[in-house]
Amino acid sequence: MIGRLVEGTPRRGLVLLAVLLMAFLAAPLVANDYMLTVLILILYFSYTGQAWNIMMGFAGQLSLGHALYVGLGGYAAAALYFHFGIGPWLSLPLAVAVAAAAGAILGFLAFRFGVAGVYFAILTIAFAEFARVGFDHFTWVGGSAGLFLPVANYTRNDLWTLRGNPTMFYYVILAMTVAAFVLCHLLLRSRAGYCWQAIREDEEAARALGINTFRYKMYAVVLSAGMTAFAGVFFAFYYNNLFPEQVFSISRSIELILGPIIGGVGTLVGPIIGAFLITGLAESLREVMHALGVDVPGLKQVFYGLCLLAVVMFLPDGIWPPLSRALGLDRDSSRGQGT
Amino acid sequence: MPALLEVEGLSKNFSGLRAVQDVSFAVPAGAIVALIGPNGAGKTTCFNMIAGVYRPDAGAVRLNGERIDGRRADQICRAGVGRTFQLVKPFAGLSVLDNVIVGALNASRTMAEARTQAEAMLDLLGLAPKRALPAASLTLAERKRLEVARALATRPRMLLLDEVMAGLRPTEIDQMVKLLRDLNSARGLTILLIEHVMRAVMALSLRVIVMHHGQVIAAGTPDEIARDPAVLECYLGEEAL
Amino acid sequence: MPAEIYLNVAVSGLLTGLVYGLMALGLSVIFGVVRVVNFAHGEMMTIAMYIAVTLFAALKLDPLVMMVPIAAVLFALGYAMQAGLINPFITRPEHSQFMLLIAVAIILVNGLLIIFGPDARSVQTSYSFDSFLIGPLIVDATKAYAGAAAIAVAIALFAFFRFNRIGKAIRACADNYMGALVVGLDVKRLYALTFGIGAACVGAAGAMLSLVIDVTPAIGPAYTLLAFVIVITGGLGSMPGALLGGVLIGLTEALAGLFFTPSAKTMFAFGILVLVLLFRPQGILGRRQA
């Protein structure tokens, strides 16, 4: 198993990964609560970025509506906890299933009816918007007034119901991120990974080589949606509140894809580096503004916009591909060079 | 010899334009057959109907006696028909080896098996030294060979080659001719090729089928075709006679 | 409910729909020629609305009168965007164009938020509460003026593309990019002009809409989406289709607001979008691509 995992990765890359993992594991020993919340945010975006990347980076299907799956997962788990006291781990399969089903419906309609390119991207937005308006009127889960979970109890960590302090949430999201990284790494080298990349590069050629492109695109959407729903469950229990206007909004979908785009679409490390840069820089900006005593709502988003603009203009492949070449790690990358 | 591929009464219209009209021919198992004709004769449209890109308006395609028309392209590949594209379609962002692995997955149960198969194809096509390079960095001649390697990696019984010689230098054409002949004799691979390079057609084919304006106007051995007045007419134009 | 109510609501939806149609026309013109999907469309309209609101608040200038100068400002913005930012992206993959425009949209929305704050602003003209009585119909004067202005702008645009030399050159670019290059048209300049014209449409529509709805920075993305819905419904790249789609969506929203609840109206617009995408992906008046 370990052999398969590390196969083909340069030693330098492995050492770097190990050091990084150790640093992450040890972080709560030195970090204060504020730093921990920033790290949680970074890991959260690494995880969701990784999940989105399966669809766009691997299979070439641009989703601009991934907030849909975060919201569905979050609402499913939160509603079950709120109404019936069912814990997040028990409701997780249902949350994942709901989001995966939504992804399957979207994918089925789009791929069966040949909705591609711009139209596909807009269809994903439409689905998310549909859910946003729908949940606004879905009173069982609070409607537009929102759904609130009993606030976390800081004195005791209860992993089973995900009630506890930031350190516990930190380790949960760290485990999720590591698992997503390993899963994506294995996927890229699997049959599905090769089929996805072939579809991304040239769908007609992929079909001519015997790949059932409809089926593999469905796999990508369903898997990506399901994984994203897990992040939604985490989100619901970490923030303890859900508002349709916020969770399903298009700006959430955009926020979620900034990391992988800035880091490098289709790479394994890109979503993580991107999440680090964008969240780290945004938080530093906030600190600076705080220190200067200025409070300008919107400044952080303008900064996001400028980062995105700079990356798409000057680094069209994202930061990781050129960076990995500079570090001599490029064989470890992920653009499918299985050698 | 029994026919491996049989095409019967195949027709296709594109918004009123009759691209292919009532085309019938057969490719015997183990043979190399060439499909020739001027540009716009409907050759590639025929290929696309055999390979499942287009659904024929009328007619039937049989592989080993079994109807395959109307199936999807991936199903037809799995049934044993490999193809190349006239305008090559490499997976530009993937390495040369990975390109061929994608093809090899068609007939492999495991990734390891696909990799071995792909490596063998790269050796066969002389692409092994380029295996780690991105496909986008290949020259046109190399891309054509990659296209063939990828199609062969699917382990077809029947290979459809769409102008794999076009744009190659004479020495490269000779290499490709030799390779196809070896594949045909050593592995019994049946080949249907669209080709404009007459030297290759004459050297390779058992039979030649000539298309013009969407119809078959002649069929026979290369020698017969070379002497057929109808063929000369369509290639040289009526005024030349 | 008496039948007049339905009729009144339908007319009001139709008039608003004309303004929507003008906004979507801008998107359609840009896509039809430049082949770039303007993800910052609603945000550009929001800019126009803020200009209208600010001019009205400061100088009491009527947005309908200011429609032309506002359209001119947006034309300049659109021209600059295409010439400076988008032209280098023409040959890049689709998703990278999207990302560029999404970045622009994010910057515009939040730039407006920084400048104007999150509060809603509106325009109250002297005729805000006037209405015309036409038989049993009560037609809101503001919407009637706006709808008439939208039709006037649309006619001017049709005439421009039909009879003007530059308009014809732009159409040539849209039909055949390589051909336009070969005959020596300055394609990049024509693209910038086209983007400018599209932006001017949305500028004029923004000026009109400032009379009808309150403006906040956050409405930008919603109107970008609305423009997409309209344009896809009518047929991406078809100019009459954009107007027809606008009217259709305006009507649907108005009637959905009447029969159900106003806050659910966008669901119906999206429902139409999904149906069109699935069953007539080229749009009602669009041409099927080969």
Side-chain angles (χ1 to χ4, degrees), chain A residues 68-112:
Chain A
L68 171 68
Y69 312 122
V70 176
L72 288 178
Y75 263 107
L80 288 180
Y81 187 68
F82 182 81
H83 286 291
F84 309 115
I86 298 172
W89 302 108
L90 280 178
S91 56
L92 179 66
L94 181 83
V96 169
V98 168
I105 294 170
L106 188 149
F108 180 84
L109 293 176
F111 304 144
R112 255 298 167 258

Side-chain angles (χ1 to χ4, degrees), chain A residues 3-133:
Chain A
R4 250 189 96 193
L5 270 183
V6 301
E7 165 202 318
T9 309
R11 169 155 299 194
R12 255 203 278 187
L14 286 178
V15 172
L16 211 67
L17 271 179
V19 169
L20 211 62
L21 187 60
M22 296 307 276
F24 266 114
L25 282 171
L29 299 177
V30 288
N32 58 23
D33 269 9
Y34 167 69
M35 278 166 70
L36 219 49
T37 55
V38 175
L39 283 174
I40 289 173
L41 210 55
I42 289 173
L43 289 171
Y44 173 80
F45 283 123
S46 304
Y47 176 88
T48 50
Q50 204 76 262
W52 176 81
N53 205 27
I54 292 178
M55 224 173 122
M56 174 62 199
F58 296 180
Q61 308 299 311
L62 176 58
S63 165
L64 294 178
H66 253 51
L68 171 68
Y69 312 122
V70 176
L72 288 178
Y75 263 107
L80 288 180
Y81 187 68
F82 182 81
H83 286 291
F84 309 115
I86 298 172
W89 302 108
L90 280 178
S91 56
L92 179 66
L94 181 83
V96 169
V98 168
I105 294 170
L106 188 149
F108 180 84
L109 293 176
F111 304 144
R112 255 298 167 258
F113 289 83
V115 178
V118 190
Y119 298 95
F120 180 77
I122 291 170
L123 190 67
T124 62
I125 302 178
F127 265 62
E129 282 292 299
F130 205 82
R132 180 177 65 80
V133 182

Side-chain angles (χ1 to χ4, degrees), chain A residues 55-213:
Chain A
M55 224 173 122
M56 174 62 199
F58 296 180
Q61 308 299 311
L62 176 58
S63 165
L64 294 178
H66 253 51
L68 171 68
Y69 312 122
V70 176
L72 288 178
Y75 263 107
L80 288 180
Y81 187 68
F82 182 81
H83 286 291
F84 309 115
I86 298 172
W89 302 108
L90 280 178
S91 56
L92 179 66
L94 181 83
V96 169
V98 168
I105 294 170
L106 188 149
F108 180 84
L109 293 176
F111 304 144
R112 255 298 167 258
F113 289 83
V115 178
V118 190
Y119 298 95
F120 180 77
I122 291 170
L123 190 67
T124 62
I125 302 178
F127 265 62
E129 282 292 299
F130 205 82
R132 180 177 65 80
V133 182
F135 272 77
D136 259 345
H137 297 88
F138 190 6
T139 45
W140 189 66
V141 294
S144 55
L147 182 63
F148 297 87
L149 296 183
V151 173
N153 163 10
Y154 272 77
T155 53
R156 200 165 58 87
N157 286 328
D158 186 351
L159 192 59
W160 180 242
T161 57
L162 272 185
R163 311 279 71 191
N165 62 24
T167 310
M168 184 195 73
F169 281 104
Y170 173 81
Y171 281 114
V172 170
I173 191 75
L174 178 62
M176 285 166 65
T177 308
V178 171
F181 182 85
V182 172
L183 177 68
C184 287
H185 175 83
L186 291 175
L187 277 174
L188 261 188
R189 281 147 202 250
S190 72
R191 177 181 291 264
Y194 276 89
C195 292
W196 284 335
Q197 293 179 81
I199 292 169
R200 176 189 77 199
E201 297 289 327
D202 192 319
E203 194 165 339
E204 195 185 353
R207 227 178 274 132
L209 296 173
I211 297 172
N212 184 340
T213 54

